[in-house]
């Protein structure tokens, strides 16, 4: 019996340590899940950005129509503001302050914001940040 005690202890320790590994996600698994979540947000944000005609005025490259996505993101980040909050009317216009442009943009925003959830508006912001970073 004395000889079986160390073997029994080793078996228990091995089982417990294996069980801990199974219940705790590895950092790689957690990172993969976070990357997948980010990819899904970017894809949804891009889809909503395009479906709601944001891409009619806001491009990746400079144009005569409206400020670039990068300019918008940089301006909001500099002022520590959220694009999603802006779309919900919680933050005033800070990129383009021309009243005529604001009126046109606000009319466009008002047509789609009511039908989108906060999470969808946040996905648009994540997509815009992704575009600005690339």
């Amino acid at each position: 019996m004395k000889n079986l005690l160390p073997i029994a202890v080793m078996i228990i320790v091995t089982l417990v340590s294996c069980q801990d590994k199974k219940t705790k996600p590895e950092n790689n698994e957690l990172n993969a899940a976070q990357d997948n979540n980010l990819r899904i947000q970017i894809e949804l944000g891009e889809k909503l950005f395009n479906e709601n005609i944001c891409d009619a005025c806001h491009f990746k490259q400079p144009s005569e129509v409206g400020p670039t996505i990068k300019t918008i993101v940089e301006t909001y980040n500099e002022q520590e503001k959220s694009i999603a909050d802006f779309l919900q009317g919680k933050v005033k216009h800070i990129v383009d302050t021309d009243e005529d442009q604001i009126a046109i943009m606000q009319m466009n925003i008002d047509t789609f914001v009511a039908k989108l959830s906060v999470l969808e508006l946040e996905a648009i912001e994540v997509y815009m940040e992704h575009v600005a970073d690339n």
Side-chain angles (χ1 to χ4, degrees), residues 118-133:
V118 172
L119 291 176
E120 290 171 316
L121 295 173
E122 289 170 353
I124 291 173
E125 182 171 13
V126 169
Y127 164 70
M128 292 176 71
E129 289 171 350
H130 172 74
V131 168
D133 288 342

Side-chain angles (χ1 to χ4, degrees), residues 76-104:
Y76 276 84
N77 287 343
E78 287 169 5
Q79 297 197 22
E80 299 179 358
K81 304 290 184 191
S82 164
I83 294 169
D85 285 348
F86 163 72
L87 293 172
Q88 295 173 70
K90 297 177 182 178
V91 175
K92 66 178 184 154
H93 298 265
I94 58 176
V95 178
D96 196 340
T97 56
D98 176 83
E99 289 190 28
D100 292 333
Q101 286 299 99
I102 290 172
I104 293 168

Side-chain angles (χ1 to χ4, degrees), residues 1 8 14-15 24 28 31-32 34 45-46 59 63 66 82 88 98 101-102 108 112-113 115 123 126 130 132:
M1 268 309 210
T14 302
L15 289 173
K24 293 181 183 177
N28 291 341
N31 289 340
Q34 289 171 334
E46 180 178 25
F59 305 105
S63 74
S82 164
Q88 295 173 70
D98 176 83
Q101 286 299 99
I102 290 172
N108 290 332
F112 74 85
V113 166
K115 67 181 180 179
V126 169
H130 172 74

